[in-house]
Amino acid sequence: MIEIVMWICGIMLGLASIACVIRVAKGPSILDRVLALDVMLLIISVALCLEMIYNKHTDFLLFVVAACTLGFIGSVTVSRYVSDQRNA
Amino acid sequence: MPTKNMQPRDQRIDDALDTSGVRHRATLKQEWPLLALLIFVWCALWQDFSPANLIFGVIVSLVIVTLFPLPPVVLSGRINIWYCVQIFIWFIGQVFVASYQVARLAIFRGKKTRSGVIAVPLRTDSDLIVTTVGHVLTLIPGSFVIDVDRSSSTLYLHYINIESKQDMERAREAVRDIERRMIMAIGSHGEFDAIKHECGPNLMRMKGKK
Amino acid sequence: MEVFLDILVAVLLILGCLMSLIAGIGLLTFPDMLTRMHAATKPQVLGFLLIFIGLAIHLRSWAVIPVLALAWGMQLLTAPVSAHMIGRSGYRTKHAAKDSLYADELKLVVDKVSSMPATGVIEVPEEEKK
């Protein structure tokens, strides 16, 4: 059964990341792109969780914690620079 | 900065504009929640809660707190665990509702989604409550914080699915309600009394409704 | 019991991945940046909650629960921060298309502030809005 579940989840995550890539390519502003990349990082974390479930190990647990903890720094940095451009 | 009569709000503006570079160090008594959090992080990452690891965690977090000081977070000194549990359970429920709402809007409304930016003045003076209300608002259905005016405790929210004046008023009411819950959970005695006074006998009814 | 837990894990995983898919769809279909922020923050938090519960149940281990709670708590703390920063700078730099806004109560304040010199105490909202 776990095989089928993995296929369904994998297809959904694939579609989600395709949507993110389209948004990165199309996004009218840099902030849209950062946002989409943020979501992409979280999708990768979810995929790692799925891998851990499939192979029954916990090797990537710390990566997932780090992604959840530090993932926001990228978008904060970019938005900081974007708003400085005008106010400087 | 020249200072005139210092109300709490003026004090906060003064803090924000203080450029003298002198940091107020937090005392150990003010910092224990941060220390407890750091020790928890340390032990959780090692996946080991044995006494030896706990002691090492205490040492590491003391070193961190000394090397990288943060301005103190002012706690109100009052906490009601029962309301905290209540608000947490309510919050988890709202997270589910939020995802459902986003899904519905994304799939069925798409490009036609309308939204609005509204200003909500809060009753509280406490930075901590403004921050928690902002965090909760960002994760529950419909809203996220665009801007904060610290001197008047006003939150500027982006609200999704706003199409009429009634929607705006309803959104404002919802935000005030969340603030009421927060004050009931962690607000200071003065604010709690003000809330009780404002809601009067209704407080009991609202509690029953939750 | 084992079968029941397996089915529970399967449901949790599928729902969790569905949340990621919703985030993706939201990113594509919503009209402007500020609306897309909603799609990027909210479903992910729920998705991680479901996936983490599924992971803990599937591994049948209590030892991972503190780590997962830590990861989820950190997500709760950091997702609003990044949303706020992106939303704020998007709003201020006019990156966000404002055509789809029904009402805008921040515009007045921002215009007023940006026309002022960069220093000094700013006391706008109270008097200005009335």
Side-chain angles (χ1 to χ4, degrees), chain B residues 134-153:
Chain B
H135 267 69
V136 169
L137 278 173
T138 305
L139 295 171
I140 67 162
S143 52
F144 85 94
V145 180
I146 289 185
D147 219 328
V148 183
D149 184 358
R150 195 179 174 214
S151 58
S152 65
S153 294

Side-chain angles (χ1 to χ4, degrees), chain B residues 8 39 41 81 131 158 166 210:
Chain B
I39 295 168
V41 170
I81 302 285
T131 315
H158 180 265
Q166 285 99 336
K210 274 185 287 192

Side-chain angles (χ1 to χ4, degrees), chain C residues 23 64-65 91:
Chain C
V64 294
I65 287 181
Y91 188 90

Side-chain angles (χ1 to χ4, degrees), chain C residues 12-13 16 22 24 37 40-41 43 45 53 61 63 70 72 75 78 81 85 92-93 109 113-114 118 123:
Chain C
L12 287 174
L13 289 188
I22 287 170
M37 305 282 320
T41 13
V45 174
I53 295 175
S61 116
L70 174 71
W72 196 62
Q75 174 122 55
T78 58
V81 174
M85 290 300 287
R92 301 229 165 178
T93 49
V109 184
V113 172
S114 46
E123 290 158 358

Side-chain angles (χ1 to χ4, degrees), chain B residues 112-174:
Chain B
K112 295 194 294 291
T113 311
R114 301 289 303 273
S115 48
V117 175
I118 61 173
V120 185
L122 297 181
R123 291 164 280 206
T124 177
D125 266 345
S126 145
D127 286 340
L128 183 66
I129 292 187
V130 175
T131 315
T132 18
V133 170
H135 267 69
V136 169
L137 278 173
T138 305
L139 295 171
I140 67 162
S143 52
F144 85 94
V145 180
I146 289 185
D147 219 328
V148 183
D149 184 358
R150 195 179 174 214
S151 58
S152 65
S153 294
T154 306
L155 291 177
Y156 295 94
L157 302 168
H158 180 265
Y159 236 90
I160 204 171
N161 204 9
I162 290 254
E163 280 163 354
S164 61
K165 281 269 179 253
Q166 285 99 336
D167 283 345
M168 287 172 68
E169 284 314 312
R170 199 144 12 93
R172 236 185 287 265
E173 270 313 302

